[in-house]
Amino acid sequence: LYAVGMTQIFPVPLAGNVPAEALAQPRELRLPIDYAHPPSDANVKAAEALCVEGGKAIDGGKLDVARQKLEEAFKLDPLSGAKTGLGMVLLREEKYEEAIEVLRTAKAIPYRGPANRLAACNQLGIALGKAGRSEEAIAVFRDGLSLDAKNGQLLGNMGLQYASSGD
């Protein structure tokens, strides 16, 4: 297990600190990120470009193209916004439970800045709402608002969720 600091990655020894039965339990989220070998600057830039292309493909309704671009971006840089984009593809395909799973993973990624986490919270809240899980959706929107209390997308979508749930 590793803890991510502002400028460094720190190993955290689990043996002796965490009971063996707890370590044996399956973990809910496993992020396929190799912190020992961070992506190169070139891969980060290439992943960013692929995420932009994937976003344009989503907007254009070309979901297969978007999926391919975003999967490639995630391979190049797991800390990019690609996982959120993949969740958006699943949302557009109305595969809400799959989208929720992907977006929960996206929300847990230790991004370089808050924008990707905010986007992951927003998309996860939308997916939960579409799946009829209003309380969870509102909780996720609130979680995102803890990062940016004035985020218009989160505020608007939380309001829509309240309105549709009757609360």
Side-chain angles (χ1 to χ4, degrees):
L1 180 66
Y2 293 91
V4 179
M6 292 299 288
T7 60
Q8 202 172 347
I9 298 169
F10 304 94
V12 178
L14 295 179
N17 294 323
V18 177
E21 55 274 2
L23 289 174
Q25 295 293 320
R27 294 189 187 143
E28 192 169 306
L29 296 174
R30 294 181 188 264
L31 303 177
I33 299 169
D34 182 1
Y35 291 113
H37 302 93
S40 67
D41 288 342
N43 282 358
V44 170
K45 288 181 183 177
E48 287 174 4
L50 286 165
C51 285
V52 169
E53 291 175 30
K56 289 179 182 176
I58 291 170
D59 291 342
K62 299 176 183 175
L63 301 181
D64 289 336
V65 172
R67 181 180 286 107
Q68 180 265 326
K69 300 280 184 194
L70 294 163
E71 286 173 351
E72 189 177 340
F74 188 74
K75 287 177 189 171
L76 289 172
D77 180 13
L79 300 180
S80 71
K83 216 37 150 172
T84 300
L86 289 167
M88 291 171 67
V89 168
L90 291 165
L91 262 172
R92 288 281 177 98
E93 294 173 336
E94 298 182 358
K95 297 178 181 177
Y96 302 128
E97 293 303 321
E98 289 177 56
I100 289 167
E101 184 178 327
V102 168
L103 291 164
R104 282 195 196 283
T105 302
K107 184 176 172 275
I109 292 173
Y111 297 109
R112 293 180 188 88
N116 286 332
R117 175 149 300 126
L118 290 168
C121 287
N122 191 47
Q123 294 301 315
L124 177 57
I126 292 168
L128 287 163
K130 296 228 181 231
R133 294 156 63 178
S134 294
E135 288 181 24
E136 288 178 76
I138 291 167
V140 169
F141 290 133
R142 285 184 191 275
D143 188 37
L145 289 168
S146 71
L147 299 171
D148 179 1
K150 295 181 180 180
N151 184 287
Q153 286 185 323
L154 290 167
L155 287 166
N157 285 327
M158 187 169 71
L160 290 171
Q161 193 58 55
Y162 270 117
S164 70
S165 69
D167 289 340

